[in-house]
Amino acid sequence: MREFSAADGEFRLDGAPFRLLSGAMHYFRVHPGQWDHRLAMLRAMGLNTVETYVPWNLHEPRPGDFRRLEELTDFLEAAARHDLLAIVRPGPYICAEWENGGLPSWLTHTLGRRVRTGDAAYLERVDHWFDQLIPRIAEHQITQGGNVIMVQVENEYGSYGSDSGYLLHLVDLLRDSGIEVPLFTSDGPEDHMLTGGAVPGILATANFGSEPEAAFATLRRHRPHDPATCMELWLGWFDHWGSEHVTRTAADAADVLERLLKEGGSVNIYMAHGGTNFGTWAGANHEGTYRPTVTSYDYDAPISEDGRPTEKYWRFREILSRYNSAPEPPPAPPVLPPSRVRMTGSAALADAFPAESVTAPVPPTFEELGLVHGLVRYRVDVPGPRQPYPLTVDGLHDRAHVYVDGVRVATLSRDGGESVDVAGPARVELLVESLGRVNYGTRLGECKGIVGGILHERQYLHGVTAQALSLEELPPVPFREGTGSPVPAFFRGSLEVEEPADAFLALPGWEHGYVWVNGFGLGRYWSRGPQRTLYLPGPVLRPGANEVVVLELDAVGEPVVEIRASPDLGRPERP
């Protein structure tokens, strides 16, 4: 039976000293048909381990409705095929720039700020979730003939809370569920984070992106006998809509990695391969201003979003070769030739909404409507006669088109303070879109839709009707020939392919919406950038005709999308 341990300042694998050289790759951000290629790229970079989170909300979107759990076990088996050990970070909270930090919206809606604590109702749901999840991890432990060598307890808890009883409950739960390999916590290298997030007797690791000497000095002061380990070495970063694309030079990133290894540290490169926030799973941040995360999770990683080696890759491979042997990288995936896809069919968004509606005194939130991802159309009457007064939305999460008597008059946004003057009597409709639930900090678990009310001057308008349209999957759309449907509308075209291959889809002239190819959600696009293309994985395509569907919410010029061979993630942020 194989074993892995952490003691006396070092890791040991089967009794011999072991340097952990890991890279993050999230199975849920990479098409399963591309796992083998990406894992081979990680191994060829010189890594001996792959790390992944597990998003609870992906696997239990509604209470008791467990889905796609086999993907984790399939991923662990794929990693083993490529001679990679594995680190699993099951949360229950993961952050990861992922919708709601991985917590299900039905859970945070019900429990609010009681999540991530020892609250009995929260622990009951965690226990039920871990009953489904942890045995799948346990059976892949190295002690059971698998490749899992470490499992994380929560995630960066010292950045959030100080409920040590909650963390101890998770430790006991993991052990009782069969986890035998070392458990660990990960926090920033700050005194308050390490004291709030660490657990006595459990390995403590640190997360940082620079100054490894100082970070390890802090970690060693708290844990002198633990192996010096950086569980997240941030050598790139993620982007927000409306901001510039963030990059980090290969030379700077390589310098930090090299210094960390010279310090005798073990490392998990975050991210080694970032992948994509497919569908509507991108999260958001709110530190004074709400900032939704883009669809791409390229992260300026050494392995790009479409699996190609970057300059960082080659610099990292050279450094890691001093510590671990590596095979040659696999060939880069093929790409489609550039082309244009003309939309030939369309349907008004209103025609795709289901007939069911809810009427309530105040606007029901997405969560109250049972909606995870999608759009809600609210309708309310302004009494009259009355003169024009400002119509505002208290607690708009996150963006709304405003219609008065069927005419679109404004677009309101969260934190924007905008209003529109409306006279009565009038029928007001608001098409509200979520741009991603906050994944980090005190605003974790907020609701979506209209969480306050609709105001005319200072008076609440009551008696609100709401209809919900889920975008978790492409909804049934009554397409008809031609592209004359007024926006917001769905548009459909056909991409002809001889041999499936990777591509990037660009939408010049389109403003804001969502794209599906053969029913697979590529994600959200937005003309405000920085991201200008959506990654289209080759395994999504098939020889012959491939259906491309675009939901445009704002405006469109020529109804054509472009197939490109390379990405456009935006202008790099200036140093």
Side-chain angles (χ1 to χ4, degrees):
M1 182 173 65
R2 303 191 68 190
E3 63 176 18
F4 182 82
S5 62
D8 299 323
E10 67 177 6
F11 291 113
R12 299 187 73 84
L13 177 63
D14 297 332
F18 179 79
R19 177 78 69 106
L20 182 69
L21 303 173
S22 178
M25 170 184 159
H26 302 153
Y27 65 94
F28 47 92
R29 282 183 160 127
V30 180
H31 191 285
Q34 296 174 321
W35 287 347
D36 279 303
H37 176 268
R38 306 303 194 259
L39 290 165
M41 289 290 292
L42 262 67
R43 182 67 188 88
M45 193 167 73
L47 302 176
N48 54 32
T49 306
V50 63
E51 172 267 307
T52 186
Y53 281 122
V54 182
W56 183 359
N57 52 5
L58 176 70
H59 294 297
E60 192 182 7
R62 290 162 187 81
D65 179 13
F66 296 102
R67 301 180 184 181
R68 300 172 56 177
L69 277 167
E70 71 283 353
E71 291 184 8
L72 173 61
T73 52
D74 290 347
F75 179 75
L76 295 174
E77 291 169 0
R81 288 197 299 271
H82 293 277
D83 193 27
L84 288 167
L85 300 170
I87 298 170
V88 182
R89 305 168 79 183
Y93 163 82
I94 64 170
C95 185
E97 291 73 58
W98 187 258
E99 162 92 358
N100 216 30
L103 296 176
S105 56
W106 54 262
L107 177 75
T108 53
H109 166 60
T110 303
L111 298 180
R113 57 193 175 88
R114 290 185 285 160
V115 301
R116 301 187 75 187
T117 73
D119 175 79
Y122 173 64
L123 294 182
E124 181 181 5
R125 295 309 314 187
V126 171
D127 291 355
H128 186 55
W129 159 232
F130 272 20
D131 283 346
Q132 298 291 322
L133 173 65
I134 303 305
R136 295 173 179 268
I137 300 171
E139 68 182 10
H140 283 85
Q141 294 176 101
I142 194 168
T143 55
Q144 302 298 319
N147 59 335
V148 174
I149 57 171
M150 296 171 69
V151 174
Q152 182 170 288
V153 180
E154 240 271 354
N155 183 61
E156 294 185 324
Y157 190 70
S159 299
Y160 181 81
S162 60
D163 191 338
S164 58
Y166 164 53
L167 298 179
L168 288 170
H169 177 91
L170 293 180
V171 169
D172 291 343
L173 180 58
L174 290 165
R175 290 301 187 206
D176 291 345
S177 299
I179 298 299
E180 303 166 332
V181 296
L183 299 176
F184 69 95
T185 59
S186 64
D187 290 285
E190 306 286 342
D191 290 338
H192 70 286
M193 295 179 183
L194 287 167
T195 54
V199 179
I202 300 300
L203 171 67
T205 68
N207 301 340
F208 52 86
S210 61
E211 304 302 328
E213 300 87 355
F216 279 155
T218 301
L219 182 61
R220 286 171 172 140
R221 187 170 65 252
H222 284 263
R223 292 297 185 89
H225 303 297
D226 287 356
T229 307
C230 178
M231 191 49 62
E232 291 186 16
L233 182 61
W234 309 315
L235 297 178
W237 206 245
F238 56 94
D239 292 336
H240 293 115
W241 290 114
S243 300
E244 292 187 322
H245 175 46
V246 181
T247 62
R248 185 172 185 178
T249 68
D252 181 44
D255 175 67
V256 173
L257 175 61
E258 190 163 31
R259 288 161 54 194
L260 182 150
L261 295 173
K262 284 183 177 178
E263 279 284 304
S266 284
V267 66
N268 177 53
I269 297 169
Y270 193 98
M271 299 288 298
H273 172 55
T276 309
N277 296 311
F278 292 118
T280 51
W281 287 108
N285 289 283
H286 198 308
E287 295 179 357
T289 303
Y290 174 77
R291 305 177 70 198
T293 302
V294 304
T295 298
S296 171
Y297 203 65
D298 177 85
Y299 214 87
D300 197 35
I303 303 169
S304 68
E305 184 176 14
D306 59 336
R308 297 176 183 278
T310 67
E311 182 183 354
K312 280 182 186 173
Y313 184 88
W314 300 115
R315 295 289 291 269
F316 289 8
R317 176 177 156 89
E318 192 278 326
I319 293 169
L320 293 169
S321 69
R322 304 169 202 163
Y323 301 88
N324 190 33
S325 61
E328 289 299 310
V335 296
L336 293 180
S339 65
R340 285 161 54 92
V341 178
R342 180 165 293 277
M343 303 291 104
T344 57
S346 64
L349 171 62
D351 294 338
F353 270 87
E356 296 82 5
S357 64
V358 173
T359 300
V362 298
T365 64
F366 278 33
E367 290 74 15
E368 289 168 331
L369 293 168
L371 184 64
V372 179
H373 300 132
L375 303 165
V376 173
R377 183 168 60 183
Y378 297 96
R379 294 192 301 274
V380 68
D381 289 327
V382 177
R386 62 172 65 181
Q387 67 186 57
Y389 290 114
L391 184 136
T392 59
V393 180
D394 174 27
L396 173 59
H397 292 180
D398 299 303
R399 191 170 185 262
H401 292 329
V402 183
Y403 298 81
V404 178
D405 294 330
V407 178
R408 182 169 152 187
V409 297
T411 299
L412 305 181
S413 60
R414 177 173 179 164
D415 300 331
E418 299 100 333
S419 66
V420 58
D421 288 346
V422 178
R427 166 64 60 89
V428 172
E429 294 187 2
L430 297 103
L431 179 66
V432 176
E433 174 193 15
S434 164
L435 296 174
R437 291 178 174 88
V438 171
N439 53 259
Y440 178 84
T442 58
R443 292 179 182 262
L444 179 73
E446 64 178 13
C447 292
K448 289 300 182 180
I450 298 176
V451 303
I454 304 169
L455 292 161
H456 197 224
E457 204 261 343
R458 72 195 67 185
Q459 180 188 79
Y460 280 110
L461 298 176
H462 291 125
V464 181
T465 297
Q467 289 176 285
L469 178 67
S470 174
L471 297 180
E472 291 179 76
E473 299 176 351
L474 178 63
V477 180
F479 285 107
R480 56 179 178 271
E481 290 299 314
T483 57
S485 297
V487 171
F490 288 92
F491 296 86
R492 180 171 64 180
S494 181
L495 169 62
E496 296 292 330
V497 170
E498 290 187 9
E499 292 291 336
D502 284 357
F504 290 88
L505 191 147
L507 299 102
W510 303 72
E511 291 292 326
H512 176 72
Y514 303 81
V515 178
W516 295 262
V517 175
N518 293 333
F520 182 88
L522 299 190
R524 182 184 290 113
Y525 65 90
W526 205 344
S527 63
R528 68 187 302 189
Q531 182 178 354
R532 302 289 180 183
T533 54
L534 293 174
Y535 176 52
L536 171 53
V540 170
L541 299 172
R542 52 181 176 252
N546 294 267
E547 182 188 62
V548 179
V549 174
V550 180
L551 169 58
E552 172 59 51
L553 298 176
D554 287 11
V556 63
E558 186 181 10
V560 172
V561 301
E562 297 180 359
I563 300 299
R564 298 182 182 175
S566 58
D568 181 354
L569 298 180
R571 182 178 61 178
E573 186 177 70
R574 298 178 183 87

PDB file of all heavy atoms in Angstrom, residues 176-191:
ATOM      1  N   ASP A 176     -14.126  10.865   9.002  1.00  0.00           N
ATOM      2  CA  ASP A 176     -15.174   9.854   9.152  1.00  0.00           C
ATOM      3  C   ASP A 176     -15.655   9.321   7.811  1.00  0.00           C
ATOM      4  O   ASP A 176     -16.203   8.215   7.730  1.00  0.00           O
ATOM      5  CB  ASP A 176     -16.358  10.436   9.923  1.00  0.00           C
ATOM      6  CG  ASP A 176     -16.045  10.712  11.384  1.00  0.00           C
ATOM      7  OD1 ASP A 176     -15.015  10.194  11.877  1.00  0.00           O
ATOM      8  OD2 ASP A 176     -16.805  11.458  12.029  1.00  0.00           O
ATOM      9  N   SER A 177     -15.464  10.119   6.739  1.00  0.00           N
ATOM     10  CA  SER A 177     -15.892   9.700   5.397  1.00  0.00           C
ATOM     11  C   SER A 177     -14.816   8.922   4.664  1.00  0.00           C
ATOM     12  O   SER A 177     -14.985   8.582   3.490  1.00  0.00           O
ATOM     13  CB  SER A 177     -16.283  10.934   4.568  1.00  0.00           C
ATOM     14  OG  SER A 177     -17.363  11.626   5.173  1.00  0.00           O
ATOM     15  N   GLY A 178     -13.691   8.658   5.342  1.00  0.00           N
ATOM     16  CA  GLY A 178     -12.687   7.776   4.765  1.00  0.00           C
ATOM     17  C   GLY A 178     -11.443   8.444   4.230  1.00  0.00           C
ATOM     18  O   GLY A 178     -10.606   7.784   3.600  1.00  0.00           O
ATOM     19  N   ILE A 179     -11.262   9.743   4.467  1.00  0.00           N
ATOM     20  CA  ILE A 179     -10.051  10.405   3.996  1.00  0.00           C
ATOM     21  C   ILE A 179      -8.888  10.063   4.933  1.00  0.00           C
ATOM     22  O   ILE A 179      -8.912  10.397   6.123  1.00  0.00           O
ATOM     23  CB  ILE A 179     -10.241  11.931   3.892  1.00  0.00           C
ATOM     24  CG1 ILE A 179     -11.338  12.250   2.880  1.00  0.00           C
ATOM     25  CG2 ILE A 179      -8.937  12.614   3.507  1.00  0.00           C
ATOM     26  CD1 ILE A 179     -11.058  11.771   1.470  1.00  0.00           C
ATOM     27  N   GLU A 180      -7.870   9.427   4.379  1.00  0.00           N
ATOM     28  CA  GLU A 180      -6.706   8.997   5.140  1.00  0.00           C
ATOM     29  C   GLU A 180      -5.470   9.840   4.837  1.00  0.00           C
ATOM     30  O   GLU A 180      -4.549   9.910   5.658  1.00  0.00           O
ATOM     31  CB  GLU A 180      -6.384   7.531   4.806  1.00  0.00           C
ATOM     32  CG  GLU A 180      -7.538   6.579   5.057  1.00  0.00           C
ATOM     33  CD  GLU A 180      -7.324   5.216   4.411  1.00  0.00           C
ATOM     34  OE1 GLU A 180      -6.609   5.141   3.388  1.00  0.00           O
ATOM     35  OE2 GLU A 180      -7.881   4.236   4.927  1.00  0.00           O
ATOM     36  N   VAL A 181      -5.437  10.438   3.649  1.00  0.00           N
ATOM     37  CA  VAL A 181      -4.266  11.221   3.246  1.00  0.00           C
ATOM     38  C   VAL A 181      -4.243  12.535   4.025  1.00  0.00           C
ATOM     39  O   VAL A 181      -5.229  12.905   4.674  1.00  0.00           O
ATOM     40  CB  VAL A 181      -4.303  11.495   1.727  1.00  0.00           C
ATOM     41  CG1 VAL A 181      -4.209  10.189   0.954  1.00  0.00           C
ATOM     42  CG2 VAL A 181      -5.543  12.283   1.336  1.00  0.00           C
ATOM     43  N   PRO A 182      -3.117  13.263   3.980  1.00  0.00           N
ATOM     44  CA  PRO A 182      -3.043  14.511   4.744  1.00  0.00           C
ATOM     45  C   PRO A 182      -4.122  15.518   4.362  1.00  0.00           C
ATOM     46  O   PRO A 182      -4.410  15.726   3.178  1.00  0.00           O
ATOM     47  CB  PRO A 182      -1.651  15.044   4.398  1.00  0.00           C
ATOM     48  CG  PRO A 182      -0.852  13.824   4.067  1.00  0.00           C
ATOM     49  CD  PRO A 182      -1.818  12.901   3.381  1.00  0.00           C
ATOM     50  N   LEU A 183      -4.711  16.134   5.373  1.00  0.00           N
ATOM     51  CA  LEU A 183      -5.613  17.264   5.183  1.00  0.00           C
ATOM     52  C   LEU A 183      -4.803  18.549   5.311  1.00  0.00           C
ATOM     53  O   LEU A 183      -3.767  18.576   5.974  1.00  0.00           O
ATOM     54  CB  LEU A 183      -6.725  17.250   6.229  1.00  0.00           C
ATOM     55  CG  LEU A 183      -7.643  16.028   6.238  1.00  0.00           C
ATOM     56  CD1 LEU A 183      -8.621  16.124   7.403  1.00  0.00           C
ATOM     57  CD2 LEU A 183      -8.386  15.879   4.920  1.00  0.00           C
ATOM     58  N   PHE A 184      -5.297  19.627   4.700  1.00  0.00           N
ATOM     59  CA  PHE A 184      -4.585  20.894   4.791  1.00  0.00           C
ATOM     60  C   PHE A 184      -5.565  22.056   4.685  1.00  0.00           C
ATOM     61  O   PHE A 184      -6.700  21.908   4.218  1.00  0.00           O
ATOM     62  CB  PHE A 184      -3.523  21.010   3.684  1.00  0.00           C
ATOM     63  CG  PHE A 184      -4.087  21.147   2.294  1.00  0.00           C
ATOM     64  CD1 PHE A 184      -4.268  22.400   1.714  1.00  0.00           C
ATOM     65  CD2 PHE A 184      -4.425  20.021   1.544  1.00  0.00           C
ATOM     66  CE1 PHE A 184      -4.775  22.531   0.436  1.00  0.00           C
ATOM     67  CE2 PHE A 184      -4.940  20.142   0.259  1.00  0.00           C
ATOM     68  CZ  PHE A 184      -5.123  21.402  -0.296  1.00  0.00           C
ATOM     69  N   THR A 185      -5.119  23.212   5.149  1.00  0.00           N
ATOM     70  CA  THR A 185      -5.831  24.469   4.938  1.00  0.00           C
ATOM     71  C   THR A 185      -4.944  25.375   4.097  1.00  0.00           C
ATOM     72  O   THR A 185      -3.735  25.169   4.001  1.00  0.00           O
ATOM     73  CB  THR A 185      -6.155  25.166   6.270  1.00  0.00           C
ATOM     74  OG1 THR A 185      -4.934  25.415   6.977  1.00  0.00           O
ATOM     75  CG2 THR A 185      -7.079  24.316   7.126  1.00  0.00           C
ATOM     76  N   SER A 186      -5.547  26.387   3.464  1.00  0.00           N
ATOM     77  CA  SER A 186      -4.754  27.360   2.699  1.00  0.00           C
ATOM     78  C   SER A 186      -5.288  28.756   2.974  1.00  0.00           C
ATOM     79  O   SER A 186      -6.503  28.992   2.933  1.00  0.00           O
ATOM     80  CB  SER A 186      -4.813  27.054   1.197  1.00  0.00           C
ATOM     81  OG  SER A 186      -6.116  27.196   0.675  1.00  0.00           O
ATOM     82  N   ASP A 187      -4.367  29.674   3.271  1.00  0.00           N
ATOM     83  CA  ASP A 187      -4.730  31.047   3.626  1.00  0.00           C
ATOM     84  C   ASP A 187      -3.621  31.990   3.183  1.00  0.00           C
ATOM     85  O   ASP A 187      -2.488  31.574   2.903  1.00  0.00           O
ATOM     86  CB  ASP A 187      -4.926  31.174   5.146  1.00  0.00           C
ATOM     87  CG  ASP A 187      -6.161  30.458   5.641  1.00  0.00           C
ATOM     88  OD1 ASP A 187      -7.261  30.983   5.425  1.00  0.00           O
ATOM     89  OD2 ASP A 187      -6.016  29.357   6.214  1.00  0.00           O
ATOM     90  N   GLY A 188      -3.944  33.268   3.156  1.00  0.00           N
ATOM     91  CA  GLY A 188      -2.923  34.263   2.903  1.00  0.00           C
ATOM     92  C   GLY A 188      -1.874  34.260   3.998  1.00  0.00           C
ATOM     93  O   GLY A 188      -2.161  33.910   5.145  1.00  0.00           O
ATOM     94  N   PRO A 189      -0.624  34.656   3.666  1.00  0.00           N
ATOM     95  CA  PRO A 189       0.452  34.641   4.665  1.00  0.00           C
ATOM     96  C   PRO A 189       0.390  35.854   5.586  1.00  0.00           C
ATOM     97  O   PRO A 189       1.335  36.630   5.691  1.00  0.00           O
ATOM     98  CB  PRO A 189       1.708  34.638   3.790  1.00  0.00           C
ATOM     99  CG  PRO A 189       1.310  35.384   2.567  1.00  0.00           C
ATOM    100  CD  PRO A 189      -0.140  35.050   2.322  1.00  0.00           C
ATOM    101  N   GLU A 190      -0.742  35.996   6.260  1.00  0.00           N
ATOM    102  CA  GLU A 190      -0.958  37.074   7.229  1.00  0.00           C
ATOM    103  C   GLU A 190      -1.330  36.438   8.563  1.00  0.00           C
ATOM    104  O   GLU A 190      -2.003  35.401   8.608  1.00  0.00           O
ATOM    105  CB  GLU A 190      -2.075  38.007   6.772  1.00  0.00           C
ATOM    106  CG  GLU A 190      -1.895  38.594   5.375  1.00  0.00           C
ATOM    107  CD  GLU A 190      -0.832  39.671   5.343  1.00  0.00           C
ATOM    108  OE1 GLU A 190      -0.490  40.193   6.430  1.00  0.00           O
ATOM    109  OE2 GLU A 190      -0.342  39.990   4.247  1.00  0.00           O
ATOM    110  N   ASP A 191      -0.929  37.066   9.657  1.00  0.00           N
ATOM    111  CA  ASP A 191      -1.182  36.484  10.972  1.00  0.00           C
ATOM    112  C   ASP A 191      -2.659  36.220  11.206  1.00  0.00           C
ATOM    113  O   ASP A 191      -3.045  35.140  11.680  1.00  0.00           O
ATOM    114  CB  ASP A 191      -0.631  37.413  12.065  1.00  0.00           C
ATOM    115  CG  ASP A 191       0.884  37.438  12.094  1.00  0.00           C
ATOM    116  OD1 ASP A 191       1.510  36.478  11.589  1.00  0.00           O
ATOM    117  OD2 ASP A 191       1.452  38.416  12.612  1.00  0.00           O
TER     118      ASP A 191
END
